[in-house]
Amino acid sequence: MVLEEGTQHVQNSPHIAVEVGSPVIAFYNEIKTDIEHATVEDDPLRWGNARKTAILLIVSAGSLIAGLAVSIQNPANALIQSDLRASSSEISWTLSVFILVQGIPGLIWSAISEIKGRKFVYVSSVALFVVASAVVAVSKTIGLVIGMRALQAAGSSALMSIAAATLADIYEPYERGTKMGLYYSAPLLGPALGPILGGVLTQSLGWRSIFWFITICAGVVLLALVVLFKDTFRKERSLTYQNVLQKRAKEGELQHQHLDKSSRAFSVTEKPAQPVLEGLTSLQQTGDPNVEANGPTIAPASSMKDVSVSLADVNPFPPLLKIVTRFNNLAILFASGKCLIFAFSYSISYTCSRTLSEHYDYDALQIGLVLLSYGIGSICGSLLGGRWSDRTLARLKQANGGKSYAEMRLISTRPAMWFLPPVIIGYAWVCEKRVHVAAICVMLCLTGFFSTWVYASTLAYIIDANPGRSSTVVATNSAFRCAFAFVAIEVAIPIQVAIGDGDLYTLWAGIMIIMEVLILAVLYKGKEWREACEEKDRRDLQ
């Protein structure tokens, strides 16, 4: 086997062949290796750049539409309220319910993707999104709008929760930061463009046109998913399947299944006969410098044929508990799993809209143009932060003798950490003192830039630190961020009214310092915490 960077080093492994009638089934000893590089058919990591780029563009376009759906309604709220005879609180619910619901179903979509694959989930969820968007466009009551906005959110949540996992399926760790940065610019661009597109469509064609626009765009994405998207999921690289194999082996189900067959004929090469279950329980070291000593144990693809996985096996909640009970994961999820950064993003967009409307007398389109500066800064931060993250990881890996571990990537966040709290304070007081709007645009751009610089690295880290659980960890990330964003939206305006922009965002600067402390704690102690949890998990499986 040819050894290349980013692939596993595999030793020649003895095997046992079990004769079943005339066919012969080979059971290879399981290999101690990086689960993300387990041998698979049609390896997505080895696909050509054209196919990988097509997948990146499709999932990014879908996430862009999902991001648009969050904010494109805002300029039309007054018209919707008048046309449907709705109250202000009901209109508020059409916005809040979307954000709240968008994070929760991602855990379910993630679990389904571990059975049916990524493509099935994408097509099903986007189809749901298309139907819900069309129903909103023809709705005659506010209750139906609220209900369909919830279904819209449920459909869009798959795009937001497993797209990053899809990129982890096709890109090596050393290039993930850059690709995550490219991808994440799409859901950031959506909320930035939403108010502008919503304002233009509402003024020219009415409020229903914005939902027809979303329907058409989502329909194009759905068509691309059906025709162009090739499934990237491989069960050999899923800890869900690996854990099921361990469980089945422990219970003796496979042994019972093959007991009468194995008694008839064995063909043994290179060493004496071994029990069939040894193919699921033996360990072999490979010496791969990219694989940590406590890496996961990988069962071969042949063993997968003996396992049928049900929804009970991929219940998202046990893996969720595995993720949130690891302190390195929990710290990063709170810090930048958008619990804090995402909440900050929504807080600043909602409160800035109110400030510009009340104190600068701006209309919806003008407000959208000002908020676009935050989106531009966020996109630049995502792109540059992701690239810097990859460069930092490559440099540190080379300095460490070709060996790397997930926490190395977090060093790339330190430059942005110095600037983020000061620029938030700067934004706070240019708003409080009613400085010229150009100053607000500059500070919005800088806050977006530095906050997403940090996020680009931490998103790649949370995936690198949880190999084999990429879809679950990203879905968990989405659930955390949407829950905190919902809270931020509900409390931002009352706090702004009570203490003003200056004190509100000075408080936010202090919260960002706490976020930075959590990231630094993971940078310096995360490897120790993570390895201790991995060792405990291995002992529990024995």
Side-chain angles (χ1 to χ4, degrees):
M1 181 176 290
V2 179
L3 304 180
E4 299 177 348
E5 183 177 1
T7 64
Q8 80 275 22
H9 297 246
V10 181
Q11 295 179 342
N12 293 328
S13 177
H15 66 275
I16 301 171
V18 182
E19 183 180 354
V20 183
S22 57
V24 176
I25 302 175
F27 289 87
Y28 288 88
N29 293 335
E30 75 182 42
I31 300 166
K32 176 81 168 173
T33 187
D34 176 2
I35 192 170
E36 293 186 336
H37 297 101
T39 302
V40 297
E41 296 180 2
D42 191 19
D43 191 347
L45 290 173
R46 297 190 178 186
W47 288 350
N49 287 332
R51 178 178 291 177
K52 290 183 177 182
T53 301
I55 291 173
L56 174 61
L57 290 175
I58 291 170
V59 298
S60 297
S63 297
L64 172 64
I65 303 305
L68 271 176
V70 176
S71 61
I72 197 170
Q73 174 192 326
N74 292 351
N77 285 338
L79 286 177
I80 296 173
Q81 184 174 352
S82 174
D83 189 28
L84 301 182
R85 296 181 177 86
S87 66
S88 297
S89 62
E90 288 172 328
I91 292 296
S92 177
W93 265 104
T94 65
L95 305 173
S96 300
V97 75
F98 189 96
I99 295 167
L100 180 63
V101 172
Q102 192 177 55
I104 299 171
L107 293 168
I108 308 300
W109 290 124
S110 170
I112 296 173
S113 76
E114 298 292 325
I115 306 175
K116 300 294 186 180
R118 314 289 194 222
K119 182 168 184 173
F120 176 84
V121 168
Y122 281 135
V123 171
S124 301
S125 62
V126 175
L128 176 63
F129 181 79
V130 170
V131 171
S133 300
V135 174
V136 173
V138 299
S139 294
K140 301 296 184 182
T141 64
I142 191 63
L144 185 58
V145 170
I146 294 172
M148 289 301 103
R149 286 285 281 172
L151 282 182
Q152 263 191 319
S156 69
S157 64
L159 292 163
M160 304 297 285
S161 61
I162 68 171
T166 301
L167 300 186
D169 292 341
I170 62 176
Y171 290 112
E172 296 282 2
Y174 65 83
E175 55 185 343
R176 271 182 205 158
T178 300
K179 303 307 179 184
M180 293 293 180
L182 288 168
Y183 157 72
Y184 194 65
S185 64
L188 288 171
L189 184 61
L193 292 177
I196 299 173
L197 290 174
V200 171
L201 289 170
T202 301
Q203 290 179 9
S204 57
L205 299 173
W207 70 267
R208 296 182 188 275
S209 65
I210 64 178
F211 294 104
W212 285 121
F213 175 78
I214 290 291
T215 302
I216 294 169
C217 291
V220 172
V221 171
L222 178 60
L223 182 62
L225 285 167
V226 171
V227 176
L228 301 176
F229 185 87
K230 186 171 184 178
D231 205 341
T232 63
F233 176 72
R234 297 294 182 270
K235 59 187 178 182
E236 295 87 354
R237 293 175 177 171
S238 167
L239 272 179
T240 297
Y241 268 85
Q242 297 297 326
N243 290 338
V244 171
L245 285 173
Q246 293 281 352
K247 176 180 164 185
R248 296 288 191 271
K250 193 172 182 180
E251 295 171 352
E253 291 185 13
L254 287 177
Q255 187 177 27
H256 177 73
Q257 181 180 351
H258 292 287
L259 187 59
D260 59 331
K261 301 175 184 177
S262 61
S263 63
R264 286 189 286 168
F266 281 89
S267 172
V268 183
T269 65
E270 299 186 18
K271 66 179 185 179
Q274 305 170 39
V276 172
L277 283 181
E278 187 171 340
L280 295 178
T281 56
S282 63
L283 299 177
Q284 293 188 353
Q285 298 295 333
T286 67
D288 186 352
N290 293 316
V291 179
E292 297 183 41
N294 59 348
T297 299
I298 311 304
S302 58
S303 299
M304 300 289 181
K305 299 176 183 178
D306 299 295
V307 178
S308 60
V309 180
S310 67
L311 280 172
D313 291 312
V314 293
N315 180 349
F317 296 106
L320 173 63
L321 289 176
K322 288 283 187 185
I323 291 167
V324 300
T325 53
R326 292 186 177 187
F327 190 73
N328 65 304
N329 289 337
L330 195 60
I332 290 295
L333 287 169
F334 269 106
S336 61
K338 288 280 185 175
C339 283
L340 296 182
I341 293 181
F342 203 72
F344 169 75
S345 175
Y346 273 89
S347 175
I348 205 169
S349 63
Y350 273 70
T351 57
C352 186
S353 296
R354 179 178 176 274
T355 297
L356 293 171
S357 176
E358 293 190 0
H359 301 291
Y360 290 81
D361 198 27
Y362 277 20
D363 59 27
L365 183 57
Q366 290 172 312
I367 292 171
L369 291 171
V370 172
L371 291 177
L372 184 60
S373 61
Y374 184 83
I376 291 172
S378 297
I379 292 168
C380 293
S382 181
L383 296 174
L384 296 177
R387 184 171 293 276
W388 181 255
S389 173
D390 283 345
R391 288 172 62 92
T392 300
L393 181 63
R395 174 174 55 82
L396 294 174
K397 179 179 177 180
Q398 183 178 9
N400 196 40
K403 297 180 181 180
S404 65
Y405 52 89
E407 287 73 19
M408 282 182 174
R409 187 183 294 278
L410 295 178
I411 293 177
S412 64
T413 63
R414 291 191 301 190
M417 288 183 185
W418 286 105
F419 296 99
L420 182 56
V423 299
I424 293 175
I425 293 173
Y427 168 78
W429 293 99
V430 297
C431 287
E432 182 71 23
K433 300 300 181 180
R434 315 293 181 241
V435 180
H436 191 276
V437 72
I440 295 179
C441 290
V442 171
M443 301 314 296
L444 282 171
C445 184
L446 290 175
T447 55
F449 179 83
F450 290 116
S451 63
T452 52
W453 177 296
V454 172
Y455 183 69
S457 296
T458 53
L459 179 61
Y461 165 77
I462 199 74
I463 293 173
D464 292 347
N466 294 273
R469 291 194 179 102
S470 58
S471 63
T472 303
V473 76
V474 175
T476 304
N477 179 72
S478 296
F480 268 64
R481 71 185 189 182
C482 290
F484 272 67
F486 174 78
V487 173
I489 290 171
E490 293 300 313
V491 304
I493 298 299
I495 295 176
Q496 182 190 34
V497 172
I499 64 176
D501 285 312
D503 290 336
L504 171 60
Y505 285 98
T506 299
L507 178 62
W508 263 116
I511 294 173
M512 289 297 107
I513 292 174
I514 296 173
M515 176 269 291
E516 293 176 354
V517 171
L518 290 173
I519 294 175
L520 291 173
V522 176
L523 170 60
Y524 294 110
K525 300 291 290 183
K527 185 173 185 288
E528 177 184 331
W529 297 333
R530 178 169 51 82
E531 290 177 347
C533 291
E534 289 169 353
E535 178 62 29
K536 181 179 181 297
D537 290 344
R538 274 199 312 279
R539 288 197 303 267
D540 292 342
L541 286 173
Q542 293 176 354

PDB file of all heavy atoms in Angstrom, residues 3-16:
ATOM      1  N   LEU A   3       1.909   4.897   0.946  1.00  0.00           N
ATOM      2  CA  LEU A   3       1.643   5.749   2.092  1.00  0.00           C
ATOM      3  C   LEU A   3       1.746   7.196   1.672  1.00  0.00           C
ATOM      4  O   LEU A   3       2.754   7.632   1.131  1.00  0.00           O
ATOM      5  CB  LEU A   3       2.654   5.450   3.204  1.00  0.00           C
ATOM      6  CG  LEU A   3       2.705   3.989   3.665  1.00  0.00           C
ATOM      7  CD1 LEU A   3       3.734   3.832   4.766  1.00  0.00           C
ATOM      8  CD2 LEU A   3       1.352   3.528   4.125  1.00  0.00           C
ATOM      9  N   GLU A   4       0.688   7.959   1.907  1.00  0.00           N
ATOM     10  CA  GLU A   4       0.657   9.370   1.580  1.00  0.00           C
ATOM     11  C   GLU A   4       0.212  10.138   2.795  1.00  0.00           C
ATOM     12  O   GLU A   4      -0.446   9.611   3.678  1.00  0.00           O
ATOM     13  CB  GLU A   4      -0.337   9.633   0.438  1.00  0.00           C
ATOM     14  CG  GLU A   4       0.036   8.909  -0.850  1.00  0.00           C
ATOM     15  CD  GLU A   4      -1.018   9.143  -1.921  1.00  0.00           C
ATOM     16  OE1 GLU A   4      -2.097   9.661  -1.584  1.00  0.00           O
ATOM     17  OE2 GLU A   4      -0.742   8.814  -3.065  1.00  0.00           O
ATOM     18  N   GLU A   5       0.557  11.438   2.851  1.00  0.00           N
ATOM     19  CA  GLU A   5       0.106  12.275   3.950  1.00  0.00           C
ATOM     20  C   GLU A   5      -1.411  12.362   3.919  1.00  0.00           C
ATOM     21  O   GLU A   5      -2.017  12.585   2.895  1.00  0.00           O
ATOM     22  CB  GLU A   5       0.695  13.684   3.829  1.00  0.00           C
ATOM     23  CG  GLU A   5       0.287  14.554   5.001  1.00  0.00           C
ATOM     24  CD  GLU A   5       0.921  15.921   4.942  1.00  0.00           C
ATOM     25  OE1 GLU A   5       1.649  16.184   3.981  1.00  0.00           O
ATOM     26  OE2 GLU A   5       0.677  16.707   5.850  1.00  0.00           O
ATOM     27  N   GLY A   6      -2.020  12.225   5.081  1.00  0.00           N
ATOM     28  CA  GLY A   6      -3.466  12.276   5.185  1.00  0.00           C
ATOM     29  C   GLY A   6      -4.126  10.918   5.032  1.00  0.00           C
ATOM     30  O   GLY A   6      -5.321  10.811   5.129  1.00  0.00           O
ATOM     31  N   THR A   7      -3.336   9.839   4.782  1.00  0.00           N
ATOM     32  CA  THR A   7      -3.906   8.497   4.758  1.00  0.00           C
ATOM     33  C   THR A   7      -3.266   7.678   5.829  1.00  0.00           C
ATOM     34  O   THR A   7      -2.179   7.971   6.291  1.00  0.00           O
ATOM     35  CB  THR A   7      -3.680   7.824   3.393  1.00  0.00           C
ATOM     36  OG1 THR A   7      -2.291   7.660   3.200  1.00  0.00           O
ATOM     37  CG2 THR A   7      -4.268   8.648   2.253  1.00  0.00           C
ATOM     38  N   GLN A   8      -3.931   6.573   6.222  1.00  0.00           N
ATOM     39  CA  GLN A   8      -3.401   5.786   7.317  1.00  0.00           C
ATOM     40  C   GLN A   8      -2.275   4.892   6.838  1.00  0.00           C
ATOM     41  O   GLN A   8      -2.223   4.477   5.704  1.00  0.00           O
ATOM     42  CB  GLN A   8      -4.515   4.961   7.975  1.00  0.00           C
ATOM     43  CG  GLN A   8      -4.892   3.698   7.256  1.00  0.00           C
ATOM     44  CD  GLN A   8      -5.899   3.963   6.170  1.00  0.00           C
ATOM     45  OE1 GLN A   8      -6.022   5.083   5.690  1.00  0.00           O
ATOM     46  NE2 GLN A   8      -6.569   2.912   5.772  1.00  0.00           N
ATOM     47  N   HIS A   9      -1.365   4.558   7.747  1.00  0.00           N
ATOM     48  CA  HIS A   9      -0.311   3.604   7.489  1.00  0.00           C
ATOM     49  C   HIS A   9      -0.812   2.264   7.986  1.00  0.00           C
ATOM     50  O   HIS A   9      -1.090   2.088   9.154  1.00  0.00           O
ATOM     51  CB  HIS A   9       0.962   4.009   8.229  1.00  0.00           C
ATOM     52  CG  HIS A   9       1.507   5.310   7.759  1.00  0.00           C
ATOM     53  ND1 HIS A   9       2.708   5.429   7.120  1.00  0.00           N
ATOM     54  CD2 HIS A   9       0.996   6.570   7.808  1.00  0.00           C
ATOM     55  CE1 HIS A   9       2.942   6.703   6.825  1.00  0.00           C
ATOM     56  NE2 HIS A   9       1.914   7.395   7.239  1.00  0.00           N
ATOM     57  N   VAL A  10      -0.914   1.318   7.097  1.00  0.00           N
ATOM     58  CA  VAL A  10      -1.525   0.042   7.433  1.00  0.00           C
ATOM     59  C   VAL A  10      -0.480  -1.056   7.339  1.00  0.00           C
ATOM     60  O   VAL A  10       0.201  -1.189   6.327  1.00  0.00           O
ATOM     61  CB  VAL A  10      -2.696  -0.291   6.485  1.00  0.00           C
ATOM     62  CG1 VAL A  10      -3.335  -1.598   6.874  1.00  0.00           C
ATOM     63  CG2 VAL A  10      -3.699   0.829   6.499  1.00  0.00           C
ATOM     64  N   GLN A  11      -0.360  -1.821   8.391  1.00  0.00           N
ATOM     65  CA  GLN A  11       0.530  -2.959   8.371  1.00  0.00           C
ATOM     66  C   GLN A  11      -0.156  -4.124   7.673  1.00  0.00           C
ATOM     67  O   GLN A  11      -1.366  -4.207   7.591  1.00  0.00           O
ATOM     68  CB  GLN A  11       0.870  -3.368   9.810  1.00  0.00           C
ATOM     69  CG  GLN A  11       1.664  -2.306  10.555  1.00  0.00           C
ATOM     70  CD  GLN A  11       1.938  -2.752  11.971  1.00  0.00           C
ATOM     71  OE1 GLN A  11       1.282  -3.655  12.457  1.00  0.00           O
ATOM     72  NE2 GLN A  11       2.884  -2.129  12.608  1.00  0.00           N
ATOM     73  N   ASN A  12       0.671  -5.065   7.180  1.00  0.00           N
ATOM     74  CA  ASN A  12       0.091  -6.280   6.628  1.00  0.00           C
ATOM     75  C   ASN A  12      -0.590  -7.039   7.758  1.00  0.00           C
ATOM     76  O   ASN A  12       0.023  -7.376   8.760  1.00  0.00           O
ATOM     77  CB  ASN A  12       1.185  -7.144   5.993  1.00  0.00           C
ATOM     78  CG  ASN A  12       1.779  -6.489   4.765  1.00  0.00           C
ATOM     79  OD1 ASN A  12       1.075  -5.770   4.068  1.00  0.00           O
ATOM     80  ND2 ASN A  12       3.062  -6.726   4.512  1.00  0.00           N
ATOM     81  N   SER A  13      -1.836  -7.289   7.587  1.00  0.00           N
ATOM     82  CA  SER A  13      -2.616  -7.857   8.675  1.00  0.00           C
ATOM     83  C   SER A  13      -2.992  -9.292   8.382  1.00  0.00           C
ATOM     84  O   SER A  13      -3.525  -9.595   7.331  1.00  0.00           O
ATOM     85  CB  SER A  13      -3.886  -7.024   8.880  1.00  0.00           C
ATOM     86  OG  SER A  13      -4.692  -7.578   9.861  1.00  0.00           O
ATOM     87  N   PRO A  14      -2.722 -10.215   9.320  1.00  0.00           N
ATOM     88  CA  PRO A  14      -3.206 -11.575   9.151  1.00  0.00           C
ATOM     89  C   PRO A  14      -4.726 -11.579   9.077  1.00  0.00           C
ATOM     90  O   PRO A  14      -5.374 -10.689   9.584  1.00  0.00           O
ATOM     91  CB  PRO A  14      -2.710 -12.289  10.416  1.00  0.00           C
ATOM     92  CG  PRO A  14      -1.629 -11.424  10.961  1.00  0.00           C
ATOM     93  CD  PRO A  14      -1.975 -10.041  10.559  1.00  0.00           C
ATOM     94  N   HIS A  15      -5.257 -12.621   8.491  1.00  0.00           N
ATOM     95  CA  HIS A  15      -6.708 -12.673   8.388  1.00  0.00           C
ATOM     96  C   HIS A  15      -7.204 -14.102   8.546  1.00  0.00           C
ATOM     97  O   HIS A  15      -6.461 -15.062   8.444  1.00  0.00           O
ATOM     98  CB  HIS A  15      -7.198 -12.100   7.054  1.00  0.00           C
ATOM     99  CG  HIS A  15      -6.793 -12.895   5.864  1.00  0.00           C
ATOM    100  ND1 HIS A  15      -5.578 -12.720   5.248  1.00  0.00           N
ATOM    101  CD2 HIS A  15      -7.442 -13.886   5.199  1.00  0.00           C
ATOM    102  CE1 HIS A  15      -5.483 -13.555   4.222  1.00  0.00           C
ATOM    103  NE2 HIS A  15      -6.596 -14.279   4.169  1.00  0.00           N
ATOM    104  N   ILE A  16      -8.494 -14.199   8.750  1.00  0.00           N
ATOM    105  CA  ILE A  16      -9.154 -15.490   8.849  1.00  0.00           C
ATOM    106  C   ILE A  16     -10.229 -15.536   7.786  1.00  0.00           C
ATOM    107  O   ILE A  16     -11.015 -14.606   7.672  1.00  0.00           O
ATOM    108  CB  ILE A  16      -9.814 -15.676  10.221  1.00  0.00           C
ATOM    109  CG1 ILE A  16      -8.742 -15.574  11.298  1.00  0.00           C
ATOM    110  CG2 ILE A  16     -10.551 -16.990  10.314  1.00  0.00           C
ATOM    111  CD1 ILE A  16      -9.338 -15.524  12.669  1.00  0.00           C
TER     112      ILE A  16
END
